[in-house]
Structures are given as structure tokens and as C-alpha cells.
Amino acid sequence: MDDDGTRGVRGSSADRVPGPALPPPPTAPPRVPAPAAGPDPAATPVEQRPTRPGPASPAEQPVPGAPVDAWLRTPRPPQEPGVWRYGYTPPPPEEPEGVSNRSLLVGALISLLSALLLWSLWRNGYLPYRLVPLKLFTPGEWWNPGTSGGPRTIEGSDALTVYEAILFGLLAYGCGRIGNFSELFRRHVADRGQPFLALAAAAAAGLTQLLVWKEALPVVRPVLVLVASVAGGEIYQSQTVVNVIYAVIAAAVLHPFARLGRWRELIAARRGTAAPAPDGTAVAPAAATSADQWPELRTAGWTDAADTLTAEVRTGRMNDVDVARLRHAWALATRRPDRLAPLAEAVLRTGGAAALHPSGHRDLPRRGARHDVLTGQVRIGRCADDPHNPYVRRGTGLALEPALLGTSLLAVGPPGAGKTARLIRPVVEALALRALAGQAAVLAVGGAGAPLGPDDAFDVVVRLGHPGSAHDIDLYGGTTDPDEAAAVLAEGLVGDVGSLDSRRAATVLAQLLGPYRAAHGHFPSVPELRELLDGTPAALAGLRASLEAAGHHAMLRELDARSRQAGGPGDPAPALADRVALLDRPAFTGFFATGPDARPFSLRAVGQHPLRVRVDLPERGHAEASRLLTRLLLAQFTAITAARTDTTLFACLVLDDATHAVTAETVRGIRRLRSVNAGAVLALRTVDDVPETLHTPLLGAVGCTAAFSGITTWDGKRFAEAWGKEWVETREVAQHTVFADQPFTRALHALRKLVTGKAVTTDAVTVRQVERERWSASELAYAVPAGHAVLSLTTVQGEHAPPLLVHLDG
């Protein structure tokens, strides 16, 4: 690492991007990396549908190693907040609730038996006036006298044959409609898929052919009669013509069964000429667009650069991060026309390696979640098929993106609920990929050993309390203003002490930090600050002497004011000294240096450069110190991001454990993050890890909330109140049994009970609109399955998504 003459000192300045020296551009950019082997959900190329019928599931990230141009052309239609947009296909219309299988089967059987009875009565002449409609449209000499007289001539017999065929067709159609045979076929045959569908259709076709040629079904004779009436009876003198007619009849009978059984699709799939999606998946076709042609460059006139990038994409020398990075670089260059020519020249010279991240990396070493770098989305799960979820969201992927994280996210769940593995790490991974594309900066804070990602996935790794740490943390946030440094440091030290006023604590610190910086040119180290807060005479006398020698009279007045207030009632200096003592431990020796040669890492760099930073806290041996540092980093982050002027870079702070880190001031700072293109992700074991007075302000400050399985009813009550209520339509049905007195009525009721399985009743229905909680406290505590969470999302533009039950597979 280039240490700029500070070899052996941890850290980096705020205006310089820390990280390893730039390696030479790789000769072959990596493709979309393949996930590790095993039952990792990221290895699945397409999203699985829910077990119950529901909306079509969207397509997933392309198979690892697939061409980037196909990934680039895949449509990403705008959708509601949180919808995984990559290859999204809209769900089919919601189907009404169908009848039970028993009612369906009994109804079909009764309809079939009724049709057979009616046809038998017709064929045996038990139905009166059955020939009257036919005699009205045919000559009278064809028929015997009377309404029941049969045919007298051959023409009458032929007309009767055709007439019976027409009536049989109408009877079969009516039987199918009344018996709902189409729903029976779809539910019990078509939904079982191939090859059962094809085999069932083939069996039905064979049975129908047998009945047709045995003349149990009136098909062959009516066709022969119609052909003879049109072409003349002499046509049957040719055996070839007869064979052709028979073949046409057989093909006509087979055709509907071939369509129902989808024989053509099955044969094509067997031959390999078509590749239908596996059962339960839906792959959206790539849109016929020119996204891989880089139209933005061609529109601006840089055709050569566009051709170079198109060739890089199609030959596989670029990955998804390269595409996102170069698109973002071009968008920034269009705002500064003087940068267009250098960027185009770099593209012509290095291709997809142009505008590299300062680390020289073009991808993460490995990915554990599914990402769409073009939109910045990371898929963390799938909306469950649950009545709480709207129909259009059931089975769709749920993803997070900067537009959602910009409103900040609060995740609450007990240990083992999956907050880190299924939510925090995918979010950190997505932000790291976005940082490689030059669009974001991420600061991930967690305990030592927390699975936030490997070391080589970050530019800066700070291991506080570890002797081998290459970086340090600046307690003062990289500022040179004593008042600003005192305000942030006071919030980190005693912001969680309700009996202390953080403003008074900031005043005490400013009365010491200002004079010390004026005398020495830098802020005091941890041991020196502790001595000053304890009021050690030697330390105060030495500081006074330095100020008098340098002529800093204003700072002498500050020091005198501190001396007068020391030891008074309500003096926060002892509490501050006790908190600073938590950092003045042998394990932190060498950390938090402030001298002229010390250059610790400052969070101010996170707001200026696309950095990937991870801070490991010593939670096991120094739990209180870790909480203090977490609180300090949160206070620094909110203060620094709110003060920056260039907000084009999205900055995000991710706290794997925000226990006792939230204060009243940081809640106000979190509320301001969405207006400066920044956000925070906070994970808590319970809401009670935050002071009770801050429960409502914190839930109101964040736009996205997640309640994991296993939370208590007390936590569930707070989420239920935060998510509010909705109007729902309720139906109250009062059933009264109907008792029949007449024998015929009792027989009808008995038949109805046989069909439905229920007694005959009359229903008194009352429909009302009532207001109910979207999720009650009891449902959140006991109805959320393991591996699931209920998420409510809000974008920075103010769009809302209702609380959704999500199966997390991040």
C-alpha cells in the first residue's frame, strides 16, 4: 500500500482514497461469478413458483457464465417498491375461489348420467314430438303421417341421421358446460403436466375412436350422408375416396385431443427443438432492444467507443459490474463535457477496463446473493403465498435497492433469526458491487468474525483492538473544528445516558479540545483526553503554559471556564472521563492516534469516494467499548453525510448490531439522511435495545422496517402500530337449516346433500367495512414461520409497499 511517507502508521486521510496500489488491468475481465457448490439458493438460475397456484414468478439472474449481452437486454419494467424487476412478468388474473373437488366430481357424474339417460330416451322414441322440428324444415313426403311418424323415404332417413348427430353434439356440449368438465380436466389432468397430460389425452382419443367406429357415437354415418348429398353417391364407388374420407374422420376426431394433450410441444421437447421452462418456473424472454449496443454513446456521436464496448460485451470480456460502471461514468461525463473525450479515449484503449475503481477490482471475489447491478437491486427473498400479501405480490421476488435504503432500514429479530446472513450481508454485498461501479460507498460495522464478507471484498478493513490491523479510526471524524468534533464525540460517549445533557457534555469537550488543538495543532489522544477530563493538575498546567506561550488568550478563557465549572453539580466531565477510560485500555494501545504523523481512517472519506469499508469491533472482550464506538460511528456518519455538498454518491452505514447505539440526536440525523442521498441499516435483537422514549421516533424516522420470526408480542405491538390499519370487507354469515315437509322436496334436499356434502341451509349474509391492523402483534409473534420476515418498504420518492410476508433466501 502507498502510505505517502507514513509507513508503519495506521490509517488514511479523508481526501485520499485508501486502498491497495492499482494493479495492471486484467487481460480478461471476470464474468458473472458462479456461486459456491451446494444447496445455495443463489445457484438457482430461475425463481421457483409457490406450491399453490399464484402469479408467475419472475426470472432470475442469468446462469453463471451466460453472455452479458443477454443479461443486458433482459427487460426490467418499473414496478412497485421492492419487486425484483429483472425479467419480471406480470401475474395472471386472479381466479375466483372454485368449487370443491367433491362437488365438481359429483356434478360432472350427474350431468353425464343425465345426458346418457336423455340420449337413451331419445334413441328409443320415448320423447314425444322429437321429430317435429325436423319435419318443419323438410318436405312432408319424406315422413309418415302423425307427429311420431318416422321416415318414409331414404332422404328422410338421411335427414334423421344428420338431425340426430346435431342433437347429439348439442347434448354433449350442454353436458360439458353444465358438468364443468373443462375445470375438471384442468384441475386433475392439465395441472399435472407432461407426460401425464399427453398420455391421458391419448387414452381418451383411443376410447373415442373406438366408440366412433363402433357407431356408438353418431359421427361416421352423418359425415358419409353429408358427403353423398354434396358430391353424389357415386363418389363411394372409389375405394381410395372412401379411405380418404375415413382418414379425414379419424384425423378430425384426434385433432382436439392432440391440442388438449399438447402433443406437438411434447414431441418438439423430446427432439430438442424447443426448450420449455421446467415446471414451476417462468423465464421472461429477452427484450428485443439495443441495450447492448450502447445507444447513449452512439447518440452522442462516439460510435467507435460504442462499437468497442459492444464487441467487449459480446465476446465475454466484460461483466455486469463493468457495464454498470461505464454507464455511470458516461452519465457523469455528460454533465462535464470536458470529460467525454478522455473517457472515450480510455474506452478505445482499454475497453471494459476503463474508469476502473481505485482498488483496481472489477468484481467481488464471490457472491452469496443474486444481484442485478444495472438497477442496484439485490434479491433477498420471495413473497409468500399468504392471505396477508396482495395477490399480485405472491410468489414475486423481493429486492432491496438504494431507492429503498435511502429511507433507512430497521431490522428486528432475535439471535438466529437470520438478520445477518439473509439481510445484512446481501445488502453489504450489493453496496460493495455498487461501489465498484462508482455509485455508492458502504461502511459495514459488526463484531469480529461477523459474516459481512471476506477481507478482499473491502478497500479498508479496520480491526479495532487487533495488533495486525492496518487501519485505525479517527475519533474526531476528520474535522478540524473543535465544536463540531466535541458535539459528535459527546454523542458517542454519553448520548445513551438519559440523565446527562449531551449539549453540556459537548460544551465541556469543546472547552478542552479547542485549547489543546490551538496549543498542539491536533486533538488530544485518548490518554491525554482522559487526563484533561479528570482535571489532572499537571495536564491542565502544561496546556495552560503552552497557550500562554503562544498567546492564545481566547483559548485561555475557555480553559479558565472549564476550571471554574469542574467539580460543580451536574458536571458531565467525570462521566465523560469514565467513558473515555473504556478506550484507554491496553488492547487499544496504538489506536486512535492523533499526532502529526498519525493519519487514521476518517469517515469523511466515505462521503467523498466510492469506498468499501468494514469495521470489526471487539465485542467479546470489550462489549461496552464496542457499543460506544458503534454509537460514535453512527453519530459521525449522520453528521458527515448531512454536511457534504456533493450528494451524487450514495452513502450507506450498515450496523450489524445497533444495540444502545441509537440516541435522540442520531434519530434526528437518520431522518435527514434521505435528503442527502444516504441511508442507514440498523439491526436490533429487540426494540427494547433502544430507550423507550425513542421507540416511536425511531420507527417514524426509518422508511423500511423488517420484523423477523421470533419477535415478542411487545415488539410486534410497536410494528403493528407503526404499520397502521386498513379497511377490509368482512362477511358475517348466519346459516339456518331448512326442514322440508313434502316428500318431493325432501328428496331434492337429500340429492343436494349428496352432491355438496352439506345440509340444505339458508344464509343470512351481513357485509361490513371495518378497519383492522395489517398485522397484529400476535400474528407477528406466532404466525411468522422460521426463515421468514415481514417487511414494509418506502422509497425516497414516497412510494409505499404494504407489510409483506417474505421467505428469506438471501
Side-chain angles (χ1 to χ4, degrees):
M1 175 179 175
D2 184 7
D3 53 19
D4 293 346
T6 60
R7 188 178 303 277
V9 180
R10 302 184 182 92
S12 172
S13 62
D15 55 353
R16 182 173 61 89
V17 181
L22 297 182
T27 56
R31 291 177 179 265
V32 179
D40 189 354
T44 306
V46 289
E47 179 183 332
Q48 299 298 324
R49 285 188 186 181
T51 55
R52 292 169 52 189
S57 303
E60 291 298 342
Q61 185 172 327
V63 178
V68 179
D69 56 347
W71 167 82
L72 191 58
R73 292 195 306 268
T74 302
R76 297 165 175 85
Q79 292 298 324
E80 297 178 0
V83 174
W84 175 250
R85 294 167 49 194
Y86 178 83
Y88 175 81
T89 54
E94 185 175 6
E95 297 180 359
E97 185 177 355
V99 297
S100 64
N101 288 332
R102 176 180 176 178
S103 299
L104 190 64
L105 291 172
V106 173
L109 180 60
I110 292 177
S111 175
L112 179 60
L113 294 177
S114 301
L116 291 176
L117 176 62
L118 187 61
W119 181 246
S120 177
L121 294 175
W122 167 271
R123 291 296 299 268
N124 292 285
Y126 289 104
L127 295 181
Y129 311 108
R130 64 189 185 94
L131 299 180
V132 171
L134 180 60
K135 292 181 179 181
L136 291 176
F137 295 96
T138 53
E141 59 269 13
W142 289 5
W143 309 97
N144 292 318
T147 57
S148 301
R152 177 188 299 177
T153 63
I154 297 177
E155 291 82 0
S157 298
D158 293 341
L160 179 59
T161 300
V162 176
Y163 179 58
E164 287 183 346
I166 295 175
L167 289 181
F168 180 81
L170 294 176
L171 181 62
Y173 176 78
C175 174
R177 295 283 295 180
I178 295 174
N180 204 2
F181 279 87
S182 60
E183 175 65 18
L184 186 67
F185 175 81
R186 184 194 66 80
R187 187 179 301 184
H188 296 283
V189 180
D191 286 351
R192 300 183 66 172
Q194 300 286 15
F196 181 82
L197 175 61
L199 293 176
L207 178 62
T208 304
Q209 288 281 8
L210 179 63
L211 296 177
V212 166
W213 296 114
K214 290 292 185 178
E215 295 190 2
L217 300 179
V219 175
V220 178
R221 288 180 58 84
V223 172
L224 296 177
V225 169
L226 290 176
V227 172
S229 64
V230 174
E234 297 81 3
I235 193 174
Y236 295 120
Q237 296 178 0
S238 173
Q239 186 62 36
T240 303
V241 173
V242 174
N243 293 337
V244 170
I245 293 176
Y246 285 165
V248 171
I249 293 175
V253 173
L254 285 177
H255 179 69
F257 295 98
R259 288 178 59 86
L260 289 175
R262 301 174 185 173
W263 294 353
R264 179 182 298 179
E265 298 177 9
L266 180 62
I267 294 174
R270 296 293 183 183
R271 292 179 177 178
T273 57
D279 294 340
T281 62
V283 180
T289 63
S290 58
D292 61 332
Q293 299 285 337
W294 300 85
E296 59 272 17
L297 273 71
R298 299 183 187 277
T299 304
W302 300 95
T303 307
D304 294 341
D307 292 339
T308 299
L309 294 179
T310 301
E312 293 267 306
V313 168
R314 293 186 174 178
T315 55
R317 293 196 297 269
M318 286 180 64
N319 62 5
D320 52 353
V321 178
D322 295 330
V323 173
R325 185 186 68 251
L326 289 174
R327 282 196 165 194
H328 178 68
W330 184 262
L332 293 180
T334 53
R335 304 174 188 175
R336 299 280 300 273
D338 56 314
R339 297 182 180 180
L340 290 175
L343 178 60
E345 293 175 0
V347 169
L348 293 174
R349 185 175 63 257
T350 60
L356 272 179
H357 185 265
S359 65
H361 298 161
R362 298 171 67 173
D363 204 347
L364 296 179
R366 57 182 176 273
R367 304 185 189 181
R370 279 162 280 189
H371 302 270
D372 184 20
V373 187
L374 204 60
T375 58
Q377 287 190 316
V378 53
R379 185 185 180 280
I380 63 171
R382 171 177 52 83
C383 294
D385 187 8
D386 187 87
H388 285 92
N389 292 342
Y391 172 77
V392 294
R393 299 300 297 269
R394 298 174 192 174
T396 61
L398 189 129
L400 297 177
E401 56 184 310
L404 297 171
L405 299 178
T407 63
S408 298
L409 186 149
L410 176 66
V412 179
K419 299 189 301 297
T420 300
R422 300 183 179 184
L423 180 65
I424 299 299
R425 176 161 182 173
V427 168
V428 173
E429 197 173 86
L431 293 171
L433 287 172
R434 203 161 180 83
L436 290 177
Q439 305 175 42
V442 56
L443 172 62
V445 182
L452 300 180
D455 292 351
D456 48 0
F458 296 91
D459 303 312
V460 176
V461 178
V462 181
R463 296 184 177 90
L464 293 175
H466 193 283
S469 178
H471 297 278
D472 196 356
I473 285 291
D474 186 357
L475 291 179
Y476 304 99
T479 183
T480 58
D481 185 358
D483 292 327
E484 181 181 351
V488 176
L489 185 58
E491 195 65 33
L493 292 176
V494 295
D496 62 326
V497 181
S499 58
L500 285 180
D501 187 355
S502 59
R503 291 174 294 181
R504 290 195 60 188
T507 301
V508 171
L509 287 172
Q511 291 172 343
L512 296 174
L513 296 182
Y516 190 95
R517 178 171 178 80
H520 301 282
H522 59 82
F523 291 121
S525 62
V526 169
E528 293 169 335
L529 180 60
R530 181 183 180 184
E531 291 181 352
L532 293 174
L533 289 172
D534 283 333
T536 304
L540 294 175
L543 179 58
R544 182 181 299 275
S546 300
L547 291 174
E548 291 175 350
H552 295 291
H553 300 290
M555 294 301 170
L556 280 173
R557 289 196 299 270
E558 287 286 295
L559 192 60
D560 292 338
R562 171 85 288 269
S563 300
R564 289 193 302 270
Q565 297 170 3
D571 183 17
L576 290 170
D578 291 340
R579 289 299 177 88
V580 173
L582 296 174
L583 304 179
D584 189 17
R585 306 297 301 163
F588 299 116
T589 301
F591 286 87
F592 315 120
T594 59
D597 296 333
R599 300 178 63 185
F601 173 75
S602 171
L603 263 65
R604 201 168 296 273
V606 174
Q608 300 173 358
H609 306 289
L611 288 176
R612 302 168 295 165
V613 183
R614 194 189 77 203
V615 178
D616 294 343
L617 301 175
E619 290 184 344
R620 294 184 179 179
H622 303 275
E624 288 298 327
S626 298
R627 293 174 180 176
L628 186 153
L629 291 171
T630 302
R631 191 164 52 249
L632 178 62
L633 291 174
L634 177 59
Q636 288 186 359
F637 180 82
T638 56
I640 290 172
T641 52
R644 61 177 182 163
T645 56
D646 185 5
T647 60
T648 57
L649 190 71
F650 178 72
C652 188
L653 170 67
V654 181
L655 297 182
D656 185 47
D657 185 4
T659 303
H660 300 297
V662 179
T663 64
E665 185 60 33
T666 54
V667 168
R668 286 189 287 267
I670 290 173
R671 189 179 290 111
R672 294 192 296 264
L673 291 179
R674 69 177 66 186
S675 63
V676 292
N677 196 23
V681 179
L682 311 177
L684 294 171
R685 295 182 179 89
T686 173
V687 181
D688 289 332
D689 288 338
V690 176
E692 186 176 359
T693 56
L694 297 179
H695 290 173
T696 300
L698 177 60
L699 289 172
V702 298
C704 303
T705 50
F708 283 72
S709 61
I711 65 173
T712 63
T713 53
W714 293 273
D715 288 343
K717 180 181 178 181
R718 298 182 181 97
F719 280 106
E721 292 175 351
W723 293 336
K725 300 180 180 180
E726 62 179 347
W727 287 99
V728 296
E729 183 179 278
T730 61
R731 302 181 65 207
E732 297 180 358
V733 181
Q735 295 183 338
H736 305 282
T737 304
V738 177
F739 298 96
D741 297 330
Q742 302 299 324
F744 182 72
T745 307
R746 286 199 297 268
L748 290 179
H749 287 185
L751 179 62
R752 180 175 175 180
K753 184 176 182 181
L754 176 64
V755 174
T756 62
K758 300 178 181 179
V760 179
T761 59
T762 58
D763 297 340
V765 181
T766 303
V767 180
R768 295 187 302 173
Q769 291 284 340
V770 298
E771 194 176 21
R772 289 183 178 176
E773 294 176 331
R774 301 178 186 271
W775 280 83
S776 68
S778 298
E779 288 175 330
L780 289 173
Y782 302 111
V784 179
H788 290 66
V790 181
L791 276 77
S792 174
L793 305 175
T794 305
T795 66
V796 291
Q797 291 81 17
E799 299 181 53
H800 295 271
L804 302 171
L805 178 63
V806 181
H807 175 248
L808 300 170
D809 56 9

